[in-house]
Amino acid sequence: MKIEYLKDGNVVALASARRERKFPAIAQIEAYWHGLRNGRLMPTRSDVDPRGIGDNLAFAFVLERIAPGHARIRLAGQHLSDIMSMEVRGMPISAFFLPQARDEVQDALERAFDMPAEVHMSLQSEASMFQPALDAQMILLPLKNNEGRVTRLLGAIQVKGKLARGPHRFSIRNIDATALTVDAPASDMAHEAEKLRRSELDRPGYWDIRGGKTAEADVTRVDIRPAHSAENRSSEGHIMRPSGPSGVQVPGLAELAESFHGKTVGPNNAPLKTRPGGHLRLVSTD
């Protein structure tokens, strides 16, 4: 169940407000990622500039997917090394978790990579003889490569409390995964509809081949009108054939057949009109 409250007339998720108050570095890195996203599904890896993260760089890291449910740390801030008391670059992110929590870690990674989703995790470290109990937050934010595939995650982890000598490992109290979506603006949808309409109107009709170039015919409509004989009587009508830019009418199938058989005149000794360009011939090449 999500608990919400009103702030300045707006409904705000209580969990989000608590994260921002208790874990400001997480909130700042999340805001930076959303700024890079800028209405897109997600930003690219090349969009991320360490200078944009600023003072919160110590809490940030970049994960690389190596297998389903597994990712290793490519880049890491100093806070991650302080948690583990060692250099963490090249380590799997599951090293920060207790063994019983690692199945949930794999599920969170798969949601972030495959949905893709923005994943928040609430973490807790149990107290021991030399270590106090600690609360922490981790965030996983997808990044796509140049091919559009999600292969990296921008992440951050922040621990509330004083770190003792590590390594500190955590269990998972809660996972909140939000699938990423993009709503196309109405103006974009209207633009796509207009492009589709224009593409239908611009479809080529009849084409003429002359001199090695193609040109769209001037007339693409077929006109059926009544014809009159010499005795001024109406016949059944005839079809006005379209013509190309040169004014030569497109021959019918019967006329084409006559020309292929070597005939140059049609009915009533009328010369056959043919399209310019000649016949095809085979040319041997080396």
Side-chain angles (χ1 to χ4, degrees):
M1 180 180 67
K2 292 186 178 180
I3 303 176
E4 300 175 337
Y5 75 103
L6 289 175
K7 179 181 178 182
D8 298 330
N10 298 318
V11 178
V12 179
L14 187 58
S16 176
R18 285 176 175 172
R19 282 198 300 265
E20 186 173 352
R21 179 169 51 86
K22 293 183 64 176
F23 305 98
I26 298 290
Q28 291 296 320
I29 293 173
E30 180 183 6
Y32 171 71
W33 179 81
H34 278 286
L36 294 178
R37 187 182 176 190
N38 193 25
R40 298 176 293 172
L41 186 64
M42 71 189 76
T44 64
R45 169 65 182 88
S46 59
D47 291 333
V48 178
D49 188 345
R51 293 172 296 182
I53 300 176
D55 296 337
N56 299 306
L57 192 60
F59 304 93
F61 58 86
V62 174
L63 296 182
E64 176 189 20
R65 190 179 197 180
I66 55 177
H70 298 277
R72 66 179 177 182
I73 301 171
R74 289 291 302 269
L75 300 171
Q78 184 60 42
H79 187 63
L80 282 79
S81 297
D82 293 340
I83 294 172
M84 299 297 290
S85 295
M86 65 181 76
E87 176 60 53
V88 298
R89 284 181 298 179
M91 294 174 58
I93 191 62
S94 58
F96 284 79
F97 296 88
L98 295 170
Q100 58 268 28
R102 290 177 183 172
D103 288 342
E104 294 177 276
V105 175
Q106 292 182 13
D107 182 61
L109 289 172
E110 286 305 288
R111 293 188 192 184
F113 280 114
D114 291 338
M115 286 181 69
E118 177 183 346
V119 178
H120 290 267
M121 290 190 286
S122 299
L123 312 179
Q124 185 177 35
S125 175
E126 299 293 338
S128 63
M129 183 177 297
F130 300 104
Q131 294 178 340
L134 298 172
D135 288 334
Q137 280 281 330
M138 179 180 286
I139 189 171
L140 302 174
L141 305 166
L143 299 171
K144 62 182 179 181
N145 60 11
N146 294 332
E147 299 175 353
R149 295 185 294 112
V150 183
T151 58
R152 300 284 194 277
L153 296 178
L154 173 63
I157 183 171
Q158 185 176 11
V159 176
K160 186 72 173 178
K162 185 178 180 180
L163 292 172
R165 183 173 179 83
H168 297 273
R169 289 187 170 87
F170 299 91
S171 59
I172 299 176
R173 298 173 58 184
N174 182 53
I175 297 177
D176 183 12
T178 304
L180 303 181
T181 57
V182 174
D183 295 329
S187 59
D188 292 348
M189 296 176 65
H191 179 66
E192 290 298 325
E194 178 65 15
K195 284 176 60 179
L196 179 60
R197 188 185 72 85
R198 289 185 176 274
S199 66
E200 289 295 324
L201 292 177
D202 293 341
R203 286 186 304 160
Y206 295 95
W207 292 77
D208 240 351
I209 302 178
R210 48 178 182 167
K213 298 181 180 179
T214 59
E216 193 172 354
D218 293 337
V219 180
T220 57
R221 64 187 180 91
V222 176
D223 189 12
I224 302 178
R225 67 182 80 178
H228 298 279
S229 62
E231 291 80 17
N232 245 351
R233 292 178 302 167
S234 296
S235 64
E236 295 179 355
H238 65 278
I239 297 176
M240 301 294 294
R241 295 198 187 98
S243 62
S246 58
V248 178
Q249 289 188 352
V250 178
L253 293 178
E255 295 168 347
L256 287 175
E258 295 290 342
S259 65
F260 279 125
H261 287 86
K263 295 184 179 181
T264 59
V265 295
N268 301 324
N269 293 325
L272 288 175
K273 295 181 181 180
T274 59
R275 297 168 68 103
H279 299 288
L280 297 176
R281 60 174 180 169
L282 298 177
V283 179
S284 61
T285 58
D286 294 334

